[in-house]
């Protein structure tokens, strides 16, 4: 918890917590957590994407690797625990195993991924997708707000970060729940059985700017009113387990007495069923085009990211459940509506996830909060899980 407080002070903005991919704060965070990893006797390095990796090598040279961890980047104006808590809980579990003079039949790595939130390039899981071999040429051509492409951001050769399935036995991530379910059921921990699929889209309505006092209402080509109509349609579409959100809206020229000529907005669509998510996205794309055509506008639709829903590995989920059951009376198996690095890692290896209760289900906000007892339980559960995993491998 003290480490979370210290790490939470490392930010690119003076009065709020923001750490984005390859920013100065992100580099300082890697240096600090890397120091803690070395103190835990781990061999520390950064890969081509600047994922931070601490490795505990097994005496069995040809053993496979188990990866535990989460991400160290944040959203803008973030809380202290989304991502970093999972990295630090993994490190604490390793410290406990080290203190008990434990040996492992597998290599064990803690990874602090460089970019899960996708703030800088509007495309999530850059670090974990690099490990899984899923970064494409299109991804490398993505540009940030300053026009700097990912390819030219200072990263190394992406292919060198890629892991092979034959070498990677599994990935386990601890994360705050980001929802109210555990709190409502009086449970400190939950075990994730699936992660919802996600689509991210950038839309633009292009009309014509004009004087607010001289352009008749019936002759306007107002991009903002088109965007407003679409946003309402997005909200109305969110039924039957579908989650749909417009979180960003940029209007130009942006003056109080000028009709909006362009409106750019983001769209985030999630569902545990990929077919349902894709149907919703297609329906919303058709709706956006219809709105634009009826209002005499142009509309562009650019899919930034599509992540399929994934199921957690039954074996790892069972072991996590057994470990949690030693600490609390029952195990809550639950899906994750939020995306995680585990979703990207699922294409590389079996995955498992452990949720930690958070106050009010609040995340992506400075008021994000967890209590010490729940964190202690998560450390104990992950430590027990690794012991059970060791016994299974022996």
């Amino acid at each position: 918890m003290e480490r979370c407080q210290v790490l939470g002070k490392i930010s690119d903005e003076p009065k709020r917590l923001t750490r984005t991919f390859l920013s100065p704060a992100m580099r300082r965070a890697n240096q600090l957590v890397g120091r803690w990893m070395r103190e835990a006797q781990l061999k520390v390095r950064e890969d081509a994407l600047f994922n931070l990796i601490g490795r505990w090598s097994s005496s069995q040279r040809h053993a496979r690797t188990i990866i535990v961890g989460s991400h160290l980047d944040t959203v803008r104006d973030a809380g202290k625990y989304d991502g970093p808590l999972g990295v630090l809980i993994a490190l604490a579990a390793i410290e406990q195993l080290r203190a008990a003079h434990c040996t492992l039949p597998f290599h064990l790595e803690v990874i602090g991924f460089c970019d899960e939130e996708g703030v800088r390039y509007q495309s999530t899981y850059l670090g974990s997708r690099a490990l899984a071999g899923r970064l494409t040429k299109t991804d490398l051509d993505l540009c940030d707000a300053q026009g700097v492409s990912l390819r030219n951001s200072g990263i190394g050769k992406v292919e060198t970060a890629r892991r092979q399935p034959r070498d990677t036995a599994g990935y386990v991530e601890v994360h705050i729940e980001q929802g109210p379910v555990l709190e409502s059921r009086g449970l400190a921990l939950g075990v994730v059985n699936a992660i919802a699929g996600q689509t991210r889209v950038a839309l633009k309505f292009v009309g014509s700017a004009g004087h607010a006092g001289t352009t008749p209402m019936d002759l306007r080509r107002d991009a903002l009113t088109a965007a407003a109509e679409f946003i309402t349609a997005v909200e109305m579409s969110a039924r039957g387990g579908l989650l749909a959100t417009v979180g960003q809206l940029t209007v130009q020229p942006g003056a109080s007495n000028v009709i909006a000529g362009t409106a750019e907005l983001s769209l985030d669509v999630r569902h545990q069923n990929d077919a349902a998510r894709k149907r919703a996205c297609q329906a919303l794309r058709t709706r956006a085009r219809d709105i634009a055509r009826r209002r005499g506008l142009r509309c562009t639709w650019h899919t930034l990211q599509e992540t399929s829903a994934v199921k957690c590995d039954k074996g790892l989920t069972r072991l996590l459940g057994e470990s949690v059951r030693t600490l609390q009376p029952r195990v809550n198996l639950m899906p994750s509506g939020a995306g995680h690095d585990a979703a990207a890692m699922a294409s590389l290896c079996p995955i498992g996830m452990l949720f930690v209760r958070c106050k009010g289900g609040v995340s992506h906000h400075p008021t994000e909060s967890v209590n010490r007892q729940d964190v202690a339980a998560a450390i104990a559960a992950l430590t027990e899980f690794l012991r059970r995993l060791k016994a299974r491998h022996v």
Side-chain angles (χ1 to χ4, degrees):
M1 294 294 283
E2 291 173 356
R3 285 173 172 172
C4 284
Q5 295 300 317
V6 174
L7 188 57
K9 294 178 181 177
I10 299 178
S11 175
D12 287 308
E13 298 183 288
K15 294 185 178 181
R16 61 181 190 172
L17 175 55
T18 302
R19 284 196 303 269
T20 61
F21 178 60
L22 290 189
S23 71
M26 192 71 218
R27 306 297 297 123
R28 295 199 305 274
N30 272 17
Q31 291 170 4
L32 177 62
V33 179
R35 191 189 81 201
W36 291 334
M37 288 178 171
R38 291 186 183 92
E39 290 171 355
Q41 304 175 56
L42 301 181
K43 185 176 181 180
V44 181
R45 67 182 180 90
E46 292 177 326
D47 67 13
L49 270 288
F50 296 91
N51 293 311
L52 179 67
I53 303 165
R55 183 175 176 87
W56 178 2
S57 294
S58 170
S59 59
Q60 299 181 26
R61 182 179 175 185
H62 298 293
R64 299 174 78 196
T65 300
I66 294 290
I67 301 172
V68 291
S70 192
H71 59 96
L72 292 173
D73 69 311
T74 74
V75 296
R76 292 190 176 92
D77 199 16
K80 301 181 184 72
Y81 303 105
D82 177 350
L85 182 66
V87 179
L88 298 178
I89 283 176
L91 182 56
I94 285 178
E95 288 172 330
Q96 290 197 0
L97 292 172
R98 284 284 203 185
H101 305 289
C102 181
T103 58
L104 297 175
F106 46 80
H107 305 300
L108 183 59
E109 289 185 347
V110 180
I111 296 186
F113 286 111
C114 63
D115 181 283
E116 190 260 7
E117 301 290 4
V119 173
R120 181 173 176 184
Y121 285 100
Q122 297 297 297
S123 185
T124 57
Y125 317 138
L126 292 180
S128 47
R129 283 197 286 144
L131 257 73
R134 291 178 55 194
L135 274 187
T136 66
K137 291 182 178 179
T138 301
D139 293 318
L140 295 176
D141 290 335
L142 290 172
C143 290
D144 63 13
Q146 283 69 49
V148 179
S149 69
L150 177 58
R151 188 188 309 278
N152 295 321
S153 64
I155 63 173
K157 294 183 179 179
V158 172
E159 59 271 19
T160 64
R162 183 174 186 173
R163 303 295 182 91
Q164 297 301 321
R166 64 177 177 271
D167 301 323
T168 312
Y171 171 75
V172 176
E173 182 168 357
V174 181
H175 205 282
I176 61 170
E177 182 195 349
Q178 301 179 276
V181 175
L182 291 175
E183 187 176 61
S184 70
R185 296 180 182 176
L187 298 173
L189 305 174
V191 178
V192 178
N193 55 12
I195 302 172
Q198 179 183 8
T199 300
R200 283 193 178 190
V201 179
L203 292 87
K204 180 188 285 189
F205 289 98
V206 181
S208 179
H211 196 291
T214 62
T215 308
M217 298 300 293
D218 61 342
L219 297 180
R220 296 186 178 195
R221 297 171 59 228
D222 189 330
L224 181 54
T225 54
E229 183 179 345
F230 177 75
I231 292 168
T232 302
V234 169
E235 182 181 43
M236 295 301 293
S237 75
R239 300 288 185 272
L242 183 78
L243 300 173
T245 306
V246 174
Q248 293 178 314
L249 178 62
T250 304
V251 180
Q252 296 292 342
S256 62
N257 62 344
V258 180
I259 299 162
T262 64
E264 298 179 62
L265 56 155
S266 65
L267 174 64
D268 182 307
V269 181
R270 307 184 191 212
H271 201 287
Q272 293 178 52
N273 182 290
D274 285 333
R277 172 176 51 84
K278 290 177 181 179
R279 284 195 301 271
C281 287
Q282 185 57 50
L284 286 171
R285 185 172 190 173
T286 300
R287 185 64 180 274
R289 288 175 174 172
D290 289 346
I291 291 170
R293 182 168 53 251
R294 176 164 39 83
R295 291 175 173 271
L297 312 177
R298 287 190 298 109
C299 177
T300 62
W301 176 289
H302 178 51
T303 301
L304 299 173
Q305 175 192 337
E306 278 200 282
T307 305
S308 298
V310 298
K311 293 186 180 297
C312 294
D313 178 74
K314 291 182 179 179
L316 294 178
T317 299
R318 183 177 64 255
L319 281 181
L320 283 169
E322 292 171 358
S323 303
V324 169
R325 199 171 287 113
T326 65
L327 298 160
Q328 63 185 39
R330 65 186 187 279
V331 177
N332 195 78
L333 288 176
M334 56 197 305
S336 173
H340 301 282
D341 287 302
M345 293 293 285
S347 65
L348 171 69
C349 62
I351 63 164
M353 280 201 74
L354 183 68
F355 270 169
V356 183
R357 171 171 52 190
C358 58
K359 186 176 181 180
V362 174
S363 75
H364 286 189
H365 192 271
T367 57
E368 225 172 55
S369 179
V370 293
N371 68 53
R372 287 174 177 267
Q373 292 79 11
D374 291 354
V375 172
I379 295 169
L382 184 59
T383 304
E384 177 64 18
F385 165 81
L386 292 169
R387 289 195 181 103
R388 289 173 182 258
L389 196 62
K390 171 185 175 180
R392 193 177 76 172
H393 278 75
V394 171

